[in-house]
Amino acid sequence: MNSRTVEISVLFFAKAREIVGKPSDTLLIESPVTHKQLLEQIVIKYSLQDIQNQIILSVNERFWQPNDIIYLNSGDEIAVIPPLSGG
């Protein structure tokens, strides 16, 4: 399986946006990658350790399981969605 580096867009919502301090960023990442590896790299790069166990990631508006292998392409969008609070 050949890997390649792609540039993806990372979109931050709710608490993740507060922690990161901006609504989006671009990230260079190796593809393919497992959902779990993708989450780990985003948590480390953007210092999201405090909420890492509650984060949901979607890739191009699709949700994945931790061991799923994701074949990313340049321009793909990753949404970092922490739990929503409020009432």
Side-chain angles (χ1 to χ4, degrees), residues 17-53:
R17 183 180 292 193
E18 288 178 32
I19 293 169
V20 175
K22 55 186 169 182
S24 64
D25 198 15
T26 58
L27 177 65
L28 292 175
I29 194 161
E30 291 294 311
S31 177
V33 64
T34 66
H35 178 274
K36 183 178 177 182
Q37 291 167 330
L38 179 61
L39 177 60
E40 288 171 354
Q41 290 183 50
I42 289 172
V43 164
I44 291 166
K45 165 108 173 134
Y46 298 105
S47 301
L48 297 171
Q49 290 85 351
D50 287 350
I51 61 170
Q52 71 182 1
N53 293 327

Side-chain angles (χ1 to χ4, degrees), residues 47-66:
S47 301
L48 297 171
Q49 290 85 351
D50 287 350
I51 61 170
Q52 71 182 1
N53 293 327
Q54 294 95 29
I55 290 174
I56 298 169
L57 287 185
S58 75
V59 180
N60 298 324
E61 300 181 6
R62 179 177 169 198
F63 296 97
W64 299 77
Q65 297 300 314

